[in-house]
Amino acid sequence: MYHLKNNVMSKNVSIHRLARVASFVTILGIMVFSASCSDSNSDSTPAPRVKLASSTSLGSYLSDSEGNALYFFSNDVAGANTCTGGCATAWPLFFEASLTADVLGEGLSMDDFGTITSAAGQQTTYKGWPLYYYAPGGVRETANQTTGEAVGGVWFVAKTDYTIMLAHAQLKGLDGKNYKGDYTEGDGSTVYFSDAEGRSIYSFHIDKKNKNNFSNGDGAHDAIWPVYGDALVSVPSALDKTLFGSITVNGSAQLTYKGWPLYYFNKDAVRGDNKGVSVPTPGVWPVVTKDAPEAPAE
């Protein structure tokens, strides 16, 4: 009887031990599973391949996944890569083959990105501007450097919110002729204002300081030279932001520079066009340049 009782008690102890072990194994399994799920979830969110970096002097700008600054080239206003030869050594192109919405940083949209192909290869674009790195002496900048800003007055960090960009291109009027910066016929590039998508910005030679003398409220008339009314956000560092202003014309805002009201030309069909420079004769509607004189007072 004693041996039977001991056997029963021994079996009960063994059962309790087995139950505790099973419980422990179950809890351990749940913990391992949870950790595995947690790791899986974290791995499922890819790191941004293009994101916004920031500097105290330049604000936010585009960078790659490692924080290396990306740049626009003013010569590329038409949307093609014009950086060849030695230029390509100092300014390597940026290309991200697998760019999708889920690998973009906060504040960026796939609608603004594209891809072009040139002799140098495939290249990612932003708002139509090809993107580059800066590699002075053939050695690329390190993360968070922006030493390429304003190099030559034509290289600028890529930004999401440029109200004005600087284009550097040949002026070619609606008459098909090439013009220099003084509006005499001839070849030679001019640095002038465009919007963020490369559309040329003009002034009207008979306007006065903060006074639009073209727009009269007639839709058909005003549509030939639409006012440029975007609110000023960012401009390249080569420009003085304080020289810009805004006026109201027929109930709409119009941006100004040195008092000159700013316009588009409706015959500029594609980015990089500057056909308005010859209409109706050269110099009546000049493209706006950094060194434009102050608009005259009334």
Side-chain angles (χ1 to χ4, degrees):
M1 185 67 179
Y2 175 80
H3 290 294
L4 179 61
K5 183 177 182 180
N6 279 348
N7 287 340
V8 171
M9 290 177 65
S10 177
K11 288 181 180 179
N12 286 340
V13 169
S14 297
I15 290 170
H16 285 304
R17 285 177 179 171
L18 288 173
R20 285 198 298 270
V21 170
S23 177
F24 173 77
V25 170
T26 300
I27 292 170
L28 181 61
I30 291 171
M31 292 172 64
V32 170
F33 179 78
S34 297
S36 174
C37 287
S38 177
D39 290 342
S40 175
N41 288 339
S42 63
D43 291 343
S44 68
T45 304
R49 294 180 183 173
V50 181
K51 60 184 181 180
L52 292 176
S54 181
S55 81
T56 54
S57 59
L58 299 174
S60 64
Y61 58 89
L62 270 65
S63 73
D64 69 4
S65 60
E66 298 177 352
N68 298 294
L70 302 176
Y71 293 87
F72 292 156
F73 185 26
S74 295
N75 293 34
D76 291 349
V77 62
N81 178 323
T82 61
C83 180
T84 59
C87 174
T89 300
W91 299 93
L93 59 79
F94 169 74
F95 176 60
E96 179 52 67
S98 303
L99 200 60
T100 55
D102 61 339
V103 293
L104 290 180
E106 185 176 354
L108 299 176
S109 169
M110 271 303 296
D111 292 341
D112 293 321
F113 289 88
T115 300
I116 59 171
T117 303
S118 66
Q122 290 185 292
Q123 186 170 12
T124 300
T125 64
Y126 183 76
K127 293 187 176 180
W129 295 94
L131 295 173
Y132 300 83
Y133 290 114
Y134 183 39
V139 179
R140 261 189 32 201
E141 285 182 318
T142 58
N144 302 314
Q145 284 190 308
T146 54
T147 58
E149 174 66 12
V151 167
V154 291
W155 289 94
F156 303 99
V157 289
K159 303 189 77 172
T160 63
D161 57 0
Y162 279 125
T163 309
I164 295 289
M165 254 300 289
L166 288 173
H168 186 209
Q170 174 69 55
L171 302 180
K172 187 168 186 177
L174 190 63
D175 58 6
K177 297 178 181 179
N178 286 355
Y179 291 93
K180 294 180 287 186
D182 61 0
Y183 298 98
T184 58
E185 289 184 37
D187 297 333
S189 297
T190 298
V191 178
Y192 61 92
F193 291 6
S194 79
D195 69 5
E197 282 79 31
R199 191 173 176 188
S200 300
I201 304 294
Y202 301 83
S203 61
F204 186 31
H205 81 124
I206 66 170
D207 279 349
K208 302 299 181 183
K209 187 171 185 177
N210 298 322
K211 179 68 167 65
N212 174 328
N213 286 321
F214 176 79
S215 304
N216 62 8
D218 177 84
H221 172 270
D222 294 354
I224 300 171
W225 295 94
V227 302
Y228 181 43
D230 283 6
L232 187 68
V233 181
S234 291
V235 300
S237 62
L239 300 179
D240 183 348
K241 193 174 180 180
T242 67
L243 297 178
F244 291 86
S246 182
I247 59 175
T248 300
V249 179
N250 300 318
S252 298
Q254 183 173 20
L255 196 65
T256 64
Y257 178 69
K258 293 186 177 180
W260 291 104
L262 305 184
Y263 302 81
Y264 288 123
F265 180 47
N266 72 346
K267 297 296 183 182
D268 287 342
V270 297
R271 61 178 301 136
D273 276 357
N274 45 52
K275 297 178 180 179
V277 297
S278 68
V279 178
T281 57
V284 172
W285 289 90
V287 285
V288 182
T289 63
K290 174 185 176 181
D291 298 324
E294 294 277 347
E298 285 282 3

mmCIF file of all heavy atoms in Angstrom, residues 183-226:
data_model
loop_
_atom_site.group_PDB
_atom_site.id
_atom_site.type_symbol
_atom_site.label_atom_id
_atom_site.label_comp_id
_atom_site.label_asym_id
_atom_site.label_seq_id
_atom_site.Cartn_x
_atom_site.Cartn_y
_atom_site.Cartn_z
ATOM 1 N N TYR A 183 20.059 90.709 -76.837
ATOM 2 C CA TYR A 183 18.985 90.613 -77.831
ATOM 3 C C TYR A 183 19.418 91.001 -79.236
ATOM 4 O O TYR A 183 18.595 91.312 -80.097
ATOM 5 C CB TYR A 183 17.723 91.374 -77.372
ATOM 6 C CG TYR A 183 17.221 90.733 -76.104
ATOM 7 C CD1 TYR A 183 17.545 91.272 -74.863
ATOM 8 C CD2 TYR A 183 16.540 89.525 -76.128
ATOM 9 C CE1 TYR A 183 17.174 90.635 -73.682
ATOM 10 C CE2 TYR A 183 16.171 88.876 -74.964
ATOM 11 C CZ TYR A 183 16.489 89.442 -73.745
ATOM 12 O OH TYR A 183 16.138 88.794 -72.593
ATOM 13 N N THR A 184 20.714 90.925 -79.474
ATOM 14 C CA THR A 184 21.211 90.955 -80.845
ATOM 15 C C THR A 184 21.313 89.505 -81.303
ATOM 16 O O THR A 184 21.456 88.580 -80.482
ATOM 17 C CB THR A 184 22.587 91.633 -80.939
ATOM 18 O OG1 THR A 184 23.523 90.928 -80.102
ATOM 19 C CG2 THR A 184 22.501 93.085 -80.496
ATOM 20 N N GLU A 185 21.233 89.301 -82.622
ATOM 21 C CA GLU A 185 21.298 87.936 -83.136
ATOM 22 C C GLU A 185 22.675 87.326 -82.899
ATOM 23 O O GLU A 185 23.696 88.005 -82.990
ATOM 24 C CB GLU A 185 20.972 87.918 -84.629
ATOM 25 C CG GLU A 185 19.514 88.199 -84.945
ATOM 26 C CD GLU A 185 19.209 88.078 -86.425
ATOM 27 O OE1 GLU A 185 19.801 87.179 -87.081
ATOM 28 O OE2 GLU A 185 18.401 88.873 -86.931
ATOM 29 N N GLY A 186 22.681 86.043 -82.559
ATOM 30 C CA GLY A 186 23.943 85.346 -82.379
ATOM 31 C C GLY A 186 23.825 84.223 -81.374
ATOM 32 O O GLY A 186 22.798 84.053 -80.705
ATOM 33 N N ASP A 187 24.894 83.447 -81.304
ATOM 34 C CA ASP A 187 24.921 82.289 -80.415
ATOM 35 C C ASP A 187 25.586 82.633 -79.090
ATOM 36 O O ASP A 187 26.520 83.436 -79.031
ATOM 37 C CB ASP A 187 25.678 81.138 -81.070
ATOM 38 C CG ASP A 187 25.000 80.659 -82.349
ATOM 39 O OD1 ASP A 187 23.768 80.819 -82.460
ATOM 40 O OD2 ASP A 187 25.712 80.131 -83.235
ATOM 41 N N GLY A 188 25.103 82.008 -78.043
ATOM 42 C CA GLY A 188 25.662 82.213 -76.719
ATOM 43 C C GLY A 188 24.590 82.019 -75.668
ATOM 44 O O GLY A 188 23.474 82.540 -75.804
ATOM 45 N N SER A 189 24.914 81.273 -74.632
ATOM 46 C CA SER A 189 23.930 80.964 -73.599
ATOM 47 C C SER A 189 23.732 82.133 -72.642
ATOM 48 O O SER A 189 24.659 82.902 -72.379
ATOM 49 C CB SER A 189 24.356 79.718 -72.814
ATOM 50 O OG SER A 189 24.412 78.591 -73.663
ATOM 51 N N THR A 190 22.530 82.231 -72.111
ATOM 52 C CA THR A 190 22.168 83.258 -71.136
ATOM 53 C C THR A 190 21.627 82.572 -69.890
ATOM 54 O O THR A 190 20.902 81.578 -69.988
ATOM 55 C CB THR A 190 21.086 84.197 -71.719
ATOM 56 O OG1 THR A 190 21.623 84.861 -72.872
ATOM 57 C CG2 THR A 190 20.629 85.232 -70.696
ATOM 58 N N VAL A 191 21.982 83.093 -68.718
ATOM 59 C CA VAL A 191 21.424 82.591 -67.463
ATOM 60 C C VAL A 191 20.203 83.437 -67.127
ATOM 61 O O VAL A 191 20.303 84.664 -67.005
ATOM 62 C CB VAL A 191 22.445 82.664 -66.310
ATOM 63 C CG1 VAL A 191 21.807 82.177 -65.011
ATOM 64 C CG2 VAL A 191 23.683 81.835 -66.638
ATOM 65 N N TYR A 192 19.039 82.791 -66.995
ATOM 66 C CA TYR A 192 17.795 83.520 -66.784
ATOM 67 C C TYR A 192 16.857 82.716 -65.894
ATOM 68 O O TYR A 192 17.104 81.551 -65.601
ATOM 69 C CB TYR A 192 17.128 83.842 -68.127
ATOM 70 C CG TYR A 192 16.763 82.627 -68.948
ATOM 71 C CD1 TYR A 192 15.500 82.038 -68.846
ATOM 72 C CD2 TYR A 192 17.679 82.048 -69.823
ATOM 73 C CE1 TYR A 192 15.162 80.912 -69.583
ATOM 74 C CE2 TYR A 192 17.358 80.920 -70.571
ATOM 75 C CZ TYR A 192 16.095 80.363 -70.449
ATOM 76 O OH TYR A 192 15.768 79.239 -71.173
ATOM 77 N N PHE A 193 15.766 83.340 -65.494
ATOM 78 C CA PHE A 193 14.824 82.696 -64.565
ATOM 79 C C PHE A 193 13.897 81.731 -65.294
ATOM 80 O O PHE A 193 13.412 81.995 -66.389
ATOM 81 C CB PHE A 193 13.940 83.737 -63.876
ATOM 82 C CG PHE A 193 14.642 84.640 -62.898
ATOM 83 C CD1 PHE A 193 16.012 84.611 -62.744
ATOM 84 C CD2 PHE A 193 13.912 85.539 -62.132
ATOM 85 C CE1 PHE A 193 16.659 85.445 -61.846
ATOM 86 C CE2 PHE A 193 14.533 86.383 -61.238
ATOM 87 C CZ PHE A 193 15.911 86.343 -61.087
ATOM 88 N N SER A 194 13.644 80.616 -64.615
ATOM 89 C CA SER A 194 12.565 79.713 -65.030
ATOM 90 C C SER A 194 11.791 79.339 -63.777
ATOM 91 O O SER A 194 12.206 79.643 -62.659
ATOM 92 C CB SER A 194 13.125 78.452 -65.705
ATOM 93 O OG SER A 194 13.609 77.526 -64.734
ATOM 94 N N ASP A 195 10.656 78.663 -63.961
ATOM 95 C CA ASP A 195 9.955 78.132 -62.795
ATOM 96 C C ASP A 195 10.552 76.767 -62.450
ATOM 97 O O ASP A 195 11.555 76.342 -63.037
ATOM 98 C CB ASP A 195 8.444 78.081 -63.017
ATOM 99 C CG ASP A 195 7.995 77.046 -64.052
ATOM 100 O OD1 ASP A 195 8.842 76.280 -64.558
ATOM 101 O OD2 ASP A 195 6.788 76.998 -64.348
ATOM 102 N N ALA A 196 9.943 76.070 -61.501
ATOM 103 C CA ALA A 196 10.495 74.797 -61.025
ATOM 104 C C ALA A 196 10.531 73.722 -62.091
ATOM 105 O O ALA A 196 11.323 72.777 -62.006
ATOM 106 C CB ALA A 196 9.682 74.302 -59.828
ATOM 107 N N GLU A 197 9.687 73.842 -63.126
ATOM 108 C CA GLU A 197 9.628 72.845 -64.194
ATOM 109 C C GLU A 197 10.332 73.304 -65.465
ATOM 110 O O GLU A 197 10.152 72.715 -66.522
ATOM 111 C CB GLU A 197 8.169 72.488 -64.517
ATOM 112 C CG GLU A 197 7.515 71.543 -63.520
ATOM 113 C CD GLU A 197 7.076 72.256 -62.253
ATOM 114 O OE1 GLU A 197 6.725 73.448 -62.338
ATOM 115 O OE2 GLU A 197 7.101 71.639 -61.170
ATOM 116 N N GLY A 198 11.126 74.382 -65.387
ATOM 117 C CA GLY A 198 11.905 74.809 -66.544
ATOM 118 C C GLY A 198 11.175 75.705 -67.520
ATOM 119 O O GLY A 198 11.647 75.895 -68.648
ATOM 120 N N ARG A 199 10.058 76.291 -67.121
ATOM 121 C CA ARG A 199 9.325 77.198 -68.003
ATOM 122 C C ARG A 199 9.852 78.617 -67.829
ATOM 123 O O ARG A 199 9.961 79.125 -66.710
ATOM 124 C CB ARG A 199 7.827 77.133 -67.689
ATOM 125 C CG ARG A 199 6.962 77.830 -68.724
ATOM 126 C CD ARG A 199 5.490 77.597 -68.451
ATOM 127 N NE ARG A 199 4.658 78.333 -69.388
ATOM 128 C CZ ARG A 199 3.341 78.437 -69.300
ATOM 129 N NH1 ARG A 199 2.699 77.842 -68.292
ATOM 130 N NH2 ARG A 199 2.655 79.118 -70.187
ATOM 131 N N SER A 200 10.162 79.283 -68.932
ATOM 132 C CA SER A 200 10.821 80.591 -68.910
ATOM 133 C C SER A 200 9.952 81.677 -68.303
ATOM 134 O O SER A 200 8.728 81.692 -68.470
ATOM 135 C CB SER A 200 11.230 80.998 -70.328
ATOM 136 O OG SER A 200 12.127 80.054 -70.876
ATOM 137 N N ILE A 201 10.629 82.627 -67.617
ATOM 138 C CA ILE A 201 9.968 83.753 -66.960
ATOM 139 C C ILE A 201 10.402 85.052 -67.634
ATOM 140 O O ILE A 201 11.608 85.281 -67.838
ATOM 141 C CB ILE A 201 10.333 83.801 -65.461
ATOM 142 C CG1 ILE A 201 9.993 82.472 -64.774
ATOM 143 C CG2 ILE A 201 9.643 84.973 -64.774
ATOM 144 C CD1 ILE A 201 8.520 82.157 -64.698
ATOM 145 N N TYR A 202 9.430 85.912 -67.953
ATOM 146 C CA TYR A 202 9.683 87.157 -68.687
ATOM 147 C C TYR A 202 9.227 88.386 -67.896
ATOM 148 O O TYR A 202 8.424 88.286 -66.966
ATOM 149 C CB TYR A 202 8.901 87.154 -70.007
ATOM 150 C CG TYR A 202 9.207 86.016 -70.951
ATOM 151 C CD1 TYR A 202 8.597 84.763 -70.802
ATOM 152 C CD2 TYR A 202 10.084 86.175 -72.012
ATOM 153 C CE1 TYR A 202 8.868 83.716 -71.672
ATOM 154 C CE2 TYR A 202 10.364 85.137 -72.897
ATOM 155 C CZ TYR A 202 9.750 83.910 -72.720
ATOM 156 O OH TYR A 202 10.015 82.882 -73.594
ATOM 157 N N SER A 203 9.741 89.534 -68.356
ATOM 158 C CA SER A 203 9.204 90.827 -67.928
ATOM 159 C C SER A 203 8.788 91.596 -69.178
ATOM 160 O O SER A 203 9.135 91.214 -70.303
ATOM 161 C CB SER A 203 10.250 91.618 -67.127
ATOM 162 O OG SER A 203 11.390 91.883 -67.922
ATOM 163 N N PHE A 204 8.025 92.684 -68.996
ATOM 164 C CA PHE A 204 7.519 93.501 -70.100
ATOM 165 C C PHE A 204 8.196 94.857 -70.010
ATOM 166 O O PHE A 204 8.118 95.526 -68.979
ATOM 167 C CB PHE A 204 5.998 93.630 -69.976
ATOM 168 C CG PHE A 204 5.316 94.321 -71.114
ATOM 169 C CD1 PHE A 204 5.811 94.255 -72.408
ATOM 170 C CD2 PHE A 204 4.149 95.042 -70.883
ATOM 171 C CE1 PHE A 204 5.158 94.885 -73.457
ATOM 172 C CE2 PHE A 204 3.484 95.668 -71.925
ATOM 173 C CZ PHE A 204 3.987 95.594 -73.212
ATOM 174 N N HIS A 205 8.826 95.289 -71.109
ATOM 175 C CA HIS A 205 9.729 96.440 -71.029
ATOM 176 C C HIS A 205 9.023 97.758 -70.699
ATOM 177 O O HIS A 205 9.685 98.705 -70.244
ATOM 178 C CB HIS A 205 10.530 96.586 -72.336
ATOM 179 C CG HIS A 205 9.780 97.261 -73.443
ATOM 180 N ND1 HIS A 205 10.249 98.388 -74.087
ATOM 181 C CD2 HIS A 205 8.588 96.972 -74.008
ATOM 182 C CE1 HIS A 205 9.377 98.754 -75.019
ATOM 183 N NE2 HIS A 205 8.379 97.907 -74.993
ATOM 184 N N ILE A 206 7.696 97.853 -70.860
ATOM 185 C CA ILE A 206 7.023 99.116 -70.522
ATOM 186 C C ILE A 206 6.321 99.064 -69.155
ATOM 187 O O ILE A 206 5.680 100.033 -68.760
ATOM 188 C CB ILE A 206 6.017 99.550 -71.608
ATOM 189 C CG1 ILE A 206 4.846 98.553 -71.704
ATOM 190 C CG2 ILE A 206 6.707 99.722 -72.954
ATOM 191 C CD1 ILE A 206 3.712 99.072 -72.584
ATOM 192 N N ASP A 207 6.448 97.948 -68.448
ATOM 193 C CA ASP A 207 5.926 97.911 -67.084
ATOM 194 C C ASP A 207 6.727 98.876 -66.207
ATOM 195 O O ASP A 207 7.872 99.244 -66.525
ATOM 196 C CB ASP A 207 6.019 96.498 -66.498
ATOM 197 C CG ASP A 207 4.879 95.594 -66.942
ATOM 198 O OD1 ASP A 207 3.906 96.110 -67.538
ATOM 199 O OD2 ASP A 207 4.964 94.379 -66.698
ATOM 200 N N LYS A 208 6.133 99.279 -65.109
ATOM 201 C CA LYS A 208 6.797 100.134 -64.132
ATOM 202 C C LYS A 208 6.968 99.350 -62.835
ATOM 203 O O LYS A 208 6.535 98.215 -62.719
ATOM 204 C CB LYS A 208 5.984 101.406 -63.889
ATOM 205 C CG LYS A 208 5.729 102.231 -65.141
ATOM 206 C CD LYS A 208 7.019 102.708 -65.790
ATOM 207 C CE LYS A 208 6.748 103.554 -67.030
ATOM 208 N NZ LYS A 208 7.999 103.963 -67.719
ATOM 209 N N LYS A 209 7.598 99.981 -61.860
ATOM 210 C CA LYS A 209 7.838 99.303 -60.604
ATOM 211 C C LYS A 209 6.534 98.888 -59.954
ATOM 212 O O LYS A 209 5.683 99.728 -59.635
ATOM 213 C CB LYS A 209 8.634 100.203 -59.653
ATOM 214 C CG LYS A 209 9.076 99.487 -58.385
ATOM 215 C CD LYS A 209 10.045 100.322 -57.569
ATOM 216 C CE LYS A 209 10.546 99.526 -56.377
ATOM 217 N NZ LYS A 209 11.553 100.299 -55.602
ATOM 218 N N ASN A 210 6.360 97.569 -59.800
ATOM 219 C CA ASN A 210 5.155 96.985 -59.199
ATOM 220 C C ASN A 210 3.879 97.380 -59.935
ATOM 221 O O ASN A 210 2.799 97.425 -59.346
ATOM 222 C CB ASN A 210 5.047 97.367 -57.717
ATOM 223 C CG ASN A 210 6.203 96.831 -56.909
ATOM 224 O OD1 ASN A 210 6.680 95.722 -57.144
ATOM 225 N ND2 ASN A 210 6.685 97.625 -55.963
ATOM 226 N N LYS A 211 3.998 97.645 -61.245
ATOM 227 C CA LYS A 211 2.835 98.058 -62.053
ATOM 228 C C LYS A 211 2.805 97.260 -63.347
ATOM 229 O O LYS A 211 3.688 97.382 -64.197
ATOM 230 C CB LYS A 211 2.898 99.551 -62.361
ATOM 231 C CG LYS A 211 1.747 100.058 -63.219
ATOM 232 C CD LYS A 211 0.425 99.998 -62.464
ATOM 233 C CE LYS A 211 -0.672 100.793 -63.170
ATOM 234 N NZ LYS A 211 -1.024 100.233 -64.489
ATOM 235 N N ASN A 212 1.796 96.408 -63.491
ATOM 236 C CA ASN A 212 1.579 95.608 -64.691
ATOM 237 C C ASN A 212 0.835 96.464 -65.708
ATOM 238 O O ASN A 212 -0.298 96.870 -65.484
ATOM 239 C CB ASN A 212 0.763 94.365 -64.305
ATOM 240 C CG ASN A 212 0.349 93.507 -65.478
ATOM 241 O OD1 ASN A 212 0.110 93.985 -66.572
ATOM 242 N ND2 ASN A 212 0.231 92.200 -65.233
ATOM 243 N N ASN A 213 1.465 96.740 -66.855
ATOM 244 C CA ASN A 213 0.848 97.544 -67.908
ATOM 245 C C ASN A 213 0.380 96.712 -69.092
ATOM 246 O O ASN A 213 0.063 97.264 -70.147
ATOM 247 C CB ASN A 213 1.826 98.624 -68.395
ATOM 248 C CG ASN A 213 1.977 99.755 -67.402
ATOM 249 O OD1 ASN A 213 1.002 100.178 -66.782
ATOM 250 N ND2 ASN A 213 3.206 100.236 -67.231
ATOM 251 N N PHE A 214 0.349 95.373 -68.911
ATOM 252 C CA PHE A 214 -0.127 94.514 -69.996
ATOM 253 C C PHE A 214 -1.506 93.941 -69.713
ATOM 254 O O PHE A 214 -2.426 94.074 -70.532
ATOM 255 C CB PHE A 214 0.857 93.370 -70.249
ATOM 256 C CG PHE A 214 0.352 92.410 -71.289
ATOM 257 C CD1 PHE A 214 0.455 92.712 -72.636
ATOM 258 C CD2 PHE A 214 -0.258 91.209 -70.931
ATOM 259 C CE1 PHE A 214 -0.047 91.843 -73.604
ATOM 260 C CE2 PHE A 214 -0.752 90.328 -71.881
ATOM 261 C CZ PHE A 214 -0.645 90.654 -73.224
ATOM 262 N N SER A 215 -1.661 93.286 -68.585
ATOM 263 C CA SER A 215 -2.905 92.568 -68.289
ATOM 264 C C SER A 215 -4.047 93.553 -68.122
ATOM 265 O O SER A 215 -3.939 94.547 -67.394
ATOM 266 C CB SER A 215 -2.745 91.737 -67.012
ATOM 267 O OG SER A 215 -1.643 90.862 -67.121
ATOM 268 N N ASN A 216 -5.176 93.285 -68.821
ATOM 269 C CA ASN A 216 -6.325 94.203 -68.755
ATOM 270 C C ASN A 216 -7.624 93.518 -68.331
ATOM 271 O O ASN A 216 -8.693 94.120 -68.381
ATOM 272 C CB ASN A 216 -6.523 94.904 -70.096
ATOM 273 C CG ASN A 216 -6.846 93.940 -71.240
ATOM 274 O OD1 ASN A 216 -7.079 92.743 -71.014
ATOM 275 N ND2 ASN A 216 -6.834 94.451 -72.474
ATOM 276 N N GLY A 217 -7.531 92.241 -67.944
ATOM 277 C CA GLY A 217 -8.726 91.527 -67.509
ATOM 278 C C GLY A 217 -9.438 90.788 -68.608
ATOM 279 O O GLY A 217 -10.367 90.015 -68.335
ATOM 280 N N ASP A 218 -9.031 90.993 -69.856
ATOM 281 C CA ASP A 218 -9.626 90.260 -70.970
ATOM 282 C C ASP A 218 -8.925 88.913 -71.091
ATOM 283 O O ASP A 218 -7.704 88.844 -71.293
ATOM 284 C CB ASP A 218 -9.463 91.042 -72.272
ATOM 285 C CG ASP A 218 -10.000 90.289 -73.470
ATOM 286 O OD1 ASP A 218 -11.214 90.363 -73.727
ATOM 287 O OD2 ASP A 218 -9.210 89.585 -74.128
ATOM 288 N N GLY A 219 -9.683 87.831 -70.987
ATOM 289 C CA GLY A 219 -9.100 86.499 -70.935
ATOM 290 C C GLY A 219 -8.228 86.163 -72.118
ATOM 291 O O GLY A 219 -7.122 85.646 -71.942
ATOM 292 N N ALA A 220 -8.702 86.440 -73.340
ATOM 293 C CA ALA A 220 -7.947 86.100 -74.541
ATOM 294 C C ALA A 220 -6.652 86.905 -74.617
ATOM 295 O O ALA A 220 -5.589 86.377 -74.965
ATOM 296 C CB ALA A 220 -8.805 86.343 -75.769
ATOM 297 N N HIS A 221 -6.739 88.171 -74.256
ATOM 298 C CA HIS A 221 -5.567 89.039 -74.273
ATOM 299 C C HIS A 221 -4.549 88.600 -73.223
ATOM 300 O O HIS A 221 -3.361 88.409 -73.523
ATOM 301 C CB HIS A 221 -6.017 90.486 -74.019
ATOM 302 C CG HIS A 221 -4.893 91.462 -73.821
ATOM 303 N ND1 HIS A 221 -4.362 91.732 -72.579
ATOM 304 C CD2 HIS A 221 -4.215 92.226 -74.700
ATOM 305 C CE1 HIS A 221 -3.403 92.621 -72.700
ATOM 306 N NE2 HIS A 221 -3.287 92.941 -73.982
ATOM 307 N N ASP A 222 -5.011 88.414 -72.006
ATOM 308 C CA ASP A 222 -4.099 88.095 -70.908
ATOM 309 C C ASP A 222 -3.479 86.711 -71.032
ATOM 310 O O ASP A 222 -2.383 86.465 -70.488
ATOM 311 C CB ASP A 222 -4.825 88.197 -69.561
ATOM 312 C CG ASP A 222 -5.240 89.627 -69.237
ATOM 313 O OD1 ASP A 222 -4.868 90.543 -70.008
ATOM 314 O OD2 ASP A 222 -5.945 89.820 -68.233
ATOM 315 N N ALA A 223 -4.159 85.816 -71.765
ATOM 316 C CA ALA A 223 -3.654 84.448 -71.901
ATOM 317 C C ALA A 223 -2.390 84.381 -72.754
ATOM 318 O O ALA A 223 -1.656 83.387 -72.694
ATOM 319 C CB ALA A 223 -4.725 83.550 -72.511
ATOM 320 N N ILE A 224 -2.104 85.414 -73.535
ATOM 321 C CA ILE A 224 -0.883 85.411 -74.351
ATOM 322 C C ILE A 224 0.346 85.496 -73.450
ATOM 323 O O ILE A 224 1.343 84.813 -73.662
ATOM 324 C CB ILE A 224 -0.896 86.588 -75.346
ATOM 325 C CG1 ILE A 224 -2.105 86.481 -76.275
ATOM 326 C CG2 ILE A 224 0.406 86.614 -76.164
ATOM 327 C CD1 ILE A 224 -2.316 87.709 -77.153
ATOM 328 N N TRP A 225 0.251 86.345 -72.430
ATOM 329 C CA TRP A 225 1.330 86.515 -71.455
ATOM 330 C C TRP A 225 0.734 86.352 -70.056
ATOM 331 O O TRP A 225 0.490 87.322 -69.347
ATOM 332 C CB TRP A 225 1.984 87.886 -71.605
ATOM 333 C CG TRP A 225 2.701 88.065 -72.917
ATOM 334 C CD1 TRP A 225 2.201 88.622 -74.049
ATOM 335 C CD2 TRP A 225 4.046 87.662 -73.219
ATOM 336 N NE1 TRP A 225 3.138 88.599 -75.057
ATOM 337 C CE2 TRP A 225 4.281 88.022 -74.569
ATOM 338 C CE3 TRP A 225 5.056 87.035 -72.477
ATOM 339 C CZ2 TRP A 225 5.505 87.765 -75.194
ATOM 340 C CZ3 TRP A 225 6.278 86.788 -73.111
ATOM 341 C CH2 TRP A 225 6.495 87.152 -74.452
ATOM 342 N N PRO A 226 0.492 85.114 -69.632
ATOM 343 C CA PRO A 226 -0.108 84.886 -68.306
ATOM 344 C C PRO A 226 0.821 85.373 -67.196
ATOM 345 O O PRO A 226 2.049 85.252 -67.293
ATOM 346 C CB PRO A 226 -0.279 83.367 -68.251
ATOM 347 C CG PRO A 226 -0.148 82.891 -69.664
ATOM 348 C CD PRO A 226 0.750 83.861 -70.350
#
